[in-house]
Amino acid sequence: MQSSYADRFERDMGCTEDEWLRWLPAAVGEGRPWRVEGASALVEIAPGSLQLRWQVMPPRVIALMRMPVLRVGFVFEGLDAVQRFAFMKRFDLYMQRGGG
């Protein structure tokens, strides 16, 4: 997890679009208003919002391993650094994948 989050950033997620859409409801939080339209979602985070846009990228290939890549853009509006951090702390915890 990062110590701060800009109001706009991109990251590559190691998941398919189907996995992303399954994980998204829990990551944004139960009862938080949000909606998906195509390859984007708008999440209401009082007093502002988060616009998510994603694009399926070619898989990452390392030797015989192929890992899906989903490039996700985050655009926060109307939220200060503390509010962005609080939201992303939960979001990142829910999007973590096990390993080891």
Side-chain angles (χ1 to χ4, degrees), residues 29-69:
E30 294 288 327
R32 184 180 304 277
W34 67 286
R35 68 180 181 278
V36 172
E37 293 179 15
S40 69
L42 181 64
V43 182
E44 294 178 33
I45 308 168
S49 64
L50 167 61
Q51 179 72 49
L52 297 165
R53 290 200 166 99
W54 57 88
Q55 176 183 7
V56 176
M57 303 299 289
R60 228 171 243 132
V61 179
I62 303 169
L64 297 176
M65 184 186 83
R66 297 173 61 85
M67 183 170 39
V69 177

Side-chain angles (χ1 to χ4, degrees), residues 5 32 80-91:
Y5 294 86
R32 184 180 304 277
D80 64 24
V82 171
Q83 293 164 321
R84 292 191 304 266
F85 180 81
F87 177 83
M88 289 303 299
K89 182 177 178 182
R90 174 193 173 83
F91 188 90

Side-chain angles (χ1 to χ4, degrees), residues 1-6 9-14 20 23-29 50 52 72 74 76 83-98:
M1 182 172 5
Q2 298 173 209
S3 60
S4 65
Y5 294 86
F9 61 93
E10 279 190 349
R11 64 167 58 153
D12 287 348
M13 307 290 290
W20 166 259
W23 300 339
L24 201 52
V28 300
L50 167 61
L52 297 165
V72 181
F74 296 73
F76 287 97
Q83 293 164 321
R84 292 191 304 266
F85 180 81
F87 177 83
M88 289 303 299
K89 182 177 178 182
R90 174 193 173 83
F91 188 90
D92 283 346
L93 284 172
Y94 275 85
M95 288 292 178
Q96 281 181 349
R97 296 176 81 168

